[in-house]
Amino acid sequence: MKFRSTLRRGSEVSLRDAVLRGSAADGGLYMPVEMPRLPSDFPERMRSLSFPEIAGEVGGLFLGDDVPPDALTEIVNCALDFPVPLISLSERLHILELFRGPTLAFKDFGARFMARLMGYFVRESGQQLTVIAATSGDTGSAVAHAFLGVPGIRVVILYPAGRVSIAQEKQFTTLGQNITALEVAGSFDDCQRLAKQALVDPIAAQQCTITSANSINIGRLIPQMFYYFAAYAQLPSMAAQVVFSVPSGNFGNLTAGLFAKRIGLPVSQFIAATNTNDVVPEFLRSGNLIPRASRHTVSNAMDVGNPSNFARIIDLYDNDLQAIRHDIWGSSFSDEETLRTMHDVERRHNYLLDPHTAVGVLGWESFAKQNHVASHGIVLATAHPAKFAETVARATGLRPEMPESLASLLVRPKQSIPFPNRFSALQEFLLSPKS
Ligand SMILES: *Cc1c(COP(=O)(O)O)cnc(C)c1O
């Protein structure tokens, strides 16, 4: 399969080039030149398939030309070696727990798969690689853990000082080895701008091959399709109408869902659920995307004012607003509503939500109220409640039990480098031989 830029100015590239480059030279994002299509019996057939088997078939459509089937199987088995349970809170409301990986957030899917895929390509060519990632919280830990100890790859994480939780910070600043965390005096949008600039900087490129690990890398998007299929396959019965509610920030997760639908998953609608960083719900209303500085909320991994995957959504629908509105329903929610929902769901269902997943539940509830269709709602649970223990305690009065993997990191010392919000400093850092 070939990939092209959303800006369509460059030439078509292989999967290998698209994954190792991260974003296209013209500044666009990589998209498949042609969307493949699953056999029409697949949605029914997959009910009897395991997660690795589903991943093999779906992934094979995109990776088949570049990665042989047994290499793909090995990547899936190593990267996605944790369960993906669908929990039914009521007859129509289901929660897909995407937080059972090592960093307790759904970004483990994209990051771990991409790391193994890059590792496969680097191993073939013997080159050295620098992976750069801006994070508003969870990307950093997922990327750091995904690449930890991978030979030939160094990882540089950029994160906004004072804007991520202590638990999040510990997960990517305590690892050492090939992982360096830069604590930037700025916002997440500043970090993202610095990372984007590094990726296209000709001077840095003379010294090292730099690639991104943010959700803009097509290598992260592909594995995120798998769990949409796995969720559908776990529904108690073949539901007539399935709606996915996706707590969204940079819109990588939702874009992967749109890909899944395009290649053959029967989804009736997606809900773009956001916190008060509501540029996409606003776009669905007005038809205009107006990027803004991000606002700080309790669901901080979704504090994004200029969602980078939006260009892919526009591209996928050929800029047809009506078609986009047909597939995506948007809504945004305040911190107060988020906290109240965490409280209510705990009381009603005895189930603890993290604040991001709570925004997804709000999306489903508000959709179900306004659209009286007999659909099943699947809310993507993007983080384990223990990652946001303070907020959970504030909302519910309960302390989620901390998984052992997180507890052991919390006692290790932070090793980040305080860093100015200036590209020249980042360039110098990347060029210095000892970093
Ligand atoms: C990153 C993240 C999101 C947003 O996902 P996007 O793909 O950027 O829209 C939601 N919830 C959590 C916990 C996250 O870490």
Side-chain angles (χ1 to χ4, degrees):
M1 170 175 289
K2 292 285 188 200
F3 294 82
R4 60 162 174 81
S5 161
T6 45
L7 297 177
R8 299 169 193 253
R9 294 201 197 108
S11 48
E12 296 175 4
V13 303
S14 65
L15 173 76
R16 180 181 191 285
D17 287 347
V19 168
L20 292 183
R21 284 180 198 169
S23 57
D26 63 9
L29 309 185
Y30 283 118
M31 288 286 282
V33 169
E34 240 176 288
M35 273 294 182
R37 188 85 198 164
L38 284 161
S40 58
D41 68 339
F42 186 73
E44 222 180 289
R45 192 157 51 81
M46 73 185 174
R47 293 180 71 80
S48 59
L49 300 181
S50 66
F51 186 90
E53 287 168 336
I54 291 175
E57 262 192 73
V58 174
L61 289 181
F62 291 83
L63 276 64
D65 298 340
D66 300 72
V67 182
D70 32 328
L72 174 57
T73 303
E74 194 182 316
I75 291 170
V76 169
N77 287 339
C78 293
L80 311 179
D81 56 348
F82 44 87
V84 192
L86 186 74
I87 311 292
S88 297
L89 294 190
S90 69
E91 202 187 321
R92 286 173 63 198
L93 170 58
H94 315 275
I95 306 280
L96 186 68
E97 293 188 347
L98 300 174
F99 52 71
R100 302 269 167 208
T103 72
L104 310 177
F106 85 100
K107 290 192 176 75
D108 281 330
F109 284 88
R112 288 169 64 82
F113 186 90
M114 182 186 63
R116 297 300 189 292
L117 189 57
M118 284 181 173
Y120 173 78
F121 289 138
V122 168
R123 201 157 58 238
E124 274 197 318
S125 69
Q127 79 195 103
Q128 289 280 316
L129 196 64
T130 298
V131 172
I132 194 157
T135 182
S136 57
D138 281 339
T139 314
S141 49
V143 168
H145 281 260
F147 282 99
L148 184 64
V150 175
I153 299 184
R154 79 166 162 170
V155 177
V156 179
I157 310 260
L158 300 159
Y159 74 103
R163 310 256 185 117
V164 303
S165 77
I166 291 165
Q168 285 176 325
E169 189 177 31
K170 286 276 180 170
Q171 289 186 78
F172 55 79
T173 59
T174 58
L175 296 168
Q177 295 187 51
N178 57 333
I179 316 295
T180 308
L182 304 180
E183 186 174 2
V184 176
S187 68
F188 168 66
D189 292 328
D190 293 327
C191 294
Q192 202 163 32
R193 193 166 47 243
L194 289 172
K196 279 183 181 162
Q197 210 170 337
L199 287 163
V200 296
D201 184 51
I203 296 168
Q206 286 168 7
Q207 288 279 330
C208 46
T209 307
I210 303 177
T211 191
S212 84
N214 280 331
S215 51
I216 53 178
N217 193 307
I218 192 75
R220 286 179 48 134
L221 228 43
I222 292 168
Q224 291 189 252
M225 276 183 279
F226 304 161
Y227 50 70
Y228 284 91
F229 287 91
Y232 187 92
Q234 287 180 71
L235 278 172
S237 60
M238 284 287 269
Q241 303 243 43
V242 178
V243 174
F244 280 95
S245 181
V246 189
S248 294
N250 255 324
F251 281 80
N253 206 357
L254 186 78
T255 302
L258 299 173
F259 276 30
K261 175 169 181 169
R262 188 62 64 90
I263 66 172
L265 185 69
V267 180
S268 70
Q269 212 154 31
F270 293 90
I271 300 166
T274 71
N275 56 32
T276 50
N277 294 282
D278 60 352
V279 295
V280 170
E282 229 4 89
F283 160 80
L284 292 165
R285 254 190 300 278
S286 70
N288 298 312
L289 188 89
I290 305 165
R292 271 202 307 258
S294 57
R295 294 177 186 156
H296 187 52
T297 74
V298 292
S299 46
N300 63 25
M302 312 197 309
D303 292 351
V304 181
N306 189 8
S308 45
N309 276 289
F310 186 73
R312 281 199 172 105
I313 298 179
I314 293 294
D315 186 281
L316 189 64
Y317 288 89
D318 260 334
N319 207 4
D320 179 344
L321 181 62
Q322 288 319 314
I324 295 174
R325 282 181 175 147
H326 181 267
D327 281 359
I328 311 173
W329 187 90
S331 203
S332 65
F333 304 95
S334 66
D335 280 356
E336 200 189 338
E337 291 170 295
T338 305
L339 295 171
R340 194 179 333 120
T341 296
M342 292 165 76
H343 174 270
D344 290 352
V345 168
E346 197 285 317
R347 289 303 122 91
R348 241 184 297 143
H349 302 291
N350 194 21
Y351 186 84
L352 285 181
L353 297 170
D354 92 285
H356 304 81
T357 308
V359 171
V361 169
L362 277 163
W364 160 251
E365 285 176 347
S366 131
F367 173 87
K369 225 177 273 164
Q370 290 179 39
N371 301 270
H372 301 278
V373 284
S375 44
H376 280 253
I378 299 176
V379 176
L380 302 193
T382 51
H384 192 292
K387 285 195 94 160
F388 300 91
E390 293 96 41
T391 309
V392 172
R394 196 171 126 205
T396 66
L398 298 172
R399 284 240 145 223
E401 201 176 317
M402 186 176 303
E404 179 50 37
S405 56
L406 183 56
S408 65
L409 284 179
L410 287 178
V411 297
R412 289 161 62 163
K414 166 174 150 181
Q415 314 176 27
S416 64
I417 303 174
F419 213 75
N421 179 10
R422 218 179 40 241
F423 182 68
S424 57
L426 180 60
Q427 190 186 50
E428 196 179 315
F429 174 84
L430 291 170
L431 295 177
S432 97
K434 56 186 186 326
S435 70

